Amino acid sequence: MGTPTIAVTGATGFLGVHLVRELLRDHATLTVLARAEPESVLNRIGGFLRLTGAGPDLLDHLAERIRVVRADLVEPRFGLPEQRFQELADELDVIWHCAGDTTIGAALDQLRRTNVTGTRRVLELAAAGVRSPLLYHVSSIAVAGARRHGTMPEELLDDTCGFENHYERSKYEAEAMVRAWAAQQARPVVVFRPSVLVTDLPRHAELPLHTLSLVAEALEGGMSRFGMPDRPPAQRLPIRIPGATTASLNLVPVDYAAATMARLARRDPSGGIDTYHIVHQRNTLVTDLLSTFERTYPFDLHLVSRPPTDQSPIEAALQAQTAFAGYTRHHRRYDTSQVRAALGPPPPAPEINLHYLTSAISHP
């Protein structure tokens, strides 16, 4: 049997670039499906690899090892002519669907366009190919929605608790569609559900943004809006945020998550729907996240049990960001039985402490 043809969507995103690096350890070549010009895609992947220590053996041959196919994820047949779409489908042995819109506060129509319609197009590609390519679908622990307590089983997928925001709903709808397709087509599918992906690499123009860096940018934008850039450090602004002091979120280093997914992909799938939670062994307290931002910005952040009646303008602005509001009351955990059954006890992920978190939002 020849070398398998591996296609990747979302290869220039935060998880995608890390996943590409891991897949290049196991495969001689990759096919990247992207809307941008091939040169731009290769430059972005190359810039990430260069900043994260890749050597000349990889960088000098990147154009030979990565083939970029211009494809619009949300268009029928990826926007390709029918014959070219069929040729692409017939080439593929494996599809990694990593592309997604992670804009937490976006409108549902916008999120569905990439997360749901885009996933439907990937399923159409997988169904059209003569080789019946294996699909690795990158979902999210966000599919648990507004289930704020207890342990989330790997196989559970329901909407009985509703959702904290439209992003969660769109990811739920996409995964539900993938699972229904796999059952109807009797096709194996591997579903990965990573938690909140983070890194301790300082922000850089050539590195994709992630959740914590996006929050940092939002805070900096708010400081400009409220005239705070020149505020002396000694004059810290108190901000009360509704939430529970015992609340926690699961943050996992993106390089650890990508490496774990690549290890799981070396195993033969069961033939059904394999679902894996890609998470850290310990949750991070929301109070530790607030302490991180206090270290960097002139705020004193306090969790309070209910919204204050005498809100300051900046407190009111934060309260209006309803897409994030529920996360300061989360206490849930995630079952990893399937991961441990496949790989054995996983190596511990790097510790997510204040130093790690502060590095994640810092500038170089």
Side-chain angles (χ1 to χ4, degrees):
M1 183 176 177
T3 302
T5 302
I6 318 289
V8 183
T9 71
T12 58
F14 181 51
L15 173 60
V17 289
H18 288 85
L19 189 57
V20 163
R21 182 176 60 190
E22 293 297 329
L23 293 176
L24 286 172
R25 301 183 199 277
D26 293 335
H27 304 286
T29 60
L30 295 176
T31 295
V32 166
L33 307 179
R35 185 170 54 185
E37 292 282 352
E39 183 178 0
S40 172
V41 173
L42 286 173
N43 286 342
R44 186 159 184 182
I45 294 172
F48 162 77
L49 293 171
R50 189 164 46 252
L51 286 171
T52 53
D57 288 349
L58 176 56
L59 292 171
D60 292 348
H61 300 282
L62 199 61
E64 301 164 25
R65 299 188 61 188
I66 294 180
R67 176 183 65 148
V68 180
V69 174
R70 290 202 70 182
D72 191 331
L73 189 68
V74 302
E75 294 296 326
R77 299 190 307 271
F78 284 12
L80 299 170
E82 186 172 349
Q83 181 178 348
R84 180 67 190 100
F85 175 80
Q86 191 60 54
E87 290 171 350
L88 174 65
D90 290 341
E91 294 172 359
L92 302 181
D93 298 286
V94 175
I95 301 172
W96 283 80
H97 179 37
C98 192
D101 187 339
T102 59
T103 312
I104 298 293
L108 183 56
D109 285 349
Q110 173 188 322
L111 291 160
R112 279 179 170 157
R113 179 171 168 79
T114 299
N115 296 343
V116 181
T117 301
T119 298
R120 182 178 296 113
R121 302 305 182 211
V122 169
L123 295 177
E124 291 167 356
L125 180 69
V130 295
R131 302 187 188 185
S132 298
L134 174 62
L135 175 63
Y136 291 96
H137 174 68
V138 180
S139 183
S140 168
I141 58 165
V143 299
R147 185 177 284 100
R148 296 180 180 178
H149 297 270
T151 298
M152 173 72 177
E154 286 168 304
E155 294 299 330
L156 179 66
L157 186 70
D158 66 56
D159 58 357
T160 55
C161 293
F163 301 96
E164 302 287 8
N165 48 58
H166 296 318
Y167 168 72
E168 293 186 346
R169 178 177 292 279
S170 71
K171 293 299 288 185
Y172 166 86
E173 291 176 357
E175 184 180 326
M177 182 168 56
V178 168
R179 299 172 82 88
W181 177 87
Q184 291 164 1
Q185 301 288 323
R187 293 273 293 271
V189 165
V190 179
V191 175
F192 295 120
R193 291 179 183 163
S195 60
V196 181
L197 296 164
V198 293
T199 180
D200 61 349
L201 294 175
R203 286 185 278 167
H204 192 284
E206 289 195 70
L207 296 177
L209 295 171
H210 55 92
T211 300
L212 292 183
S213 61
L214 287 168
V215 173
E217 289 198 351
L219 282 173
E220 290 162 6
M223 288 172 64
S224 295
R225 176 184 169 192
F226 288 98
M228 294 182 61
D230 299 325
R231 190 182 189 89
Q235 295 182 16
R236 303 178 66 81
L237 180 67
I239 299 177
R240 297 159 294 180
I241 301 171
T245 57
T246 53
S248 64
L249 300 173
N250 194 280
L251 312 182
V252 65
V254 64
D255 48 353
Y256 177 90
T260 302
M261 293 181 199
R263 286 182 64 202
L264 288 164
R266 294 178 195 130
R267 296 175 50 85
D268 291 332
S270 69
I273 303 171
D274 301 326
T275 309
Y276 299 107
H277 282 159
I278 311 299
V279 298
H280 200 283
Q281 64 268 17
R282 285 190 300 276
N283 280 7
T284 297
L285 287 170
V286 170
T287 51
D288 284 345
L289 287 170
L290 298 184
S291 295
T292 299
F293 290 109
E294 285 181 328
R295 287 177 131 194
T296 307
Y297 303 106
F299 301 128
D300 281 325
L301 304 171
H302 304 281
L303 288 173
V304 294
S305 59
R306 57 180 55 86
T309 57
D310 57 341
Q311 288 182 334
S312 67
I314 197 167
E315 287 174 334
L318 287 172
Q319 184 67 18
Q321 301 299 313
T322 55
F324 296 90
Y327 295 133
T328 57
R329 301 188 186 279
H330 275 216
H331 295 82
R332 71 185 184 215
R333 299 294 189 271
Y334 304 92
D335 177 39
T336 57
S337 299
Q338 301 288 352
V339 176
R340 287 183 281 111
L343 302 179
E351 183 182 359
I352 306 287
N353 53 26
L354 287 177
H355 175 73
Y356 186 104
L357 295 169
T358 303
S359 296
I361 63 173
S362 66
H363 290 285

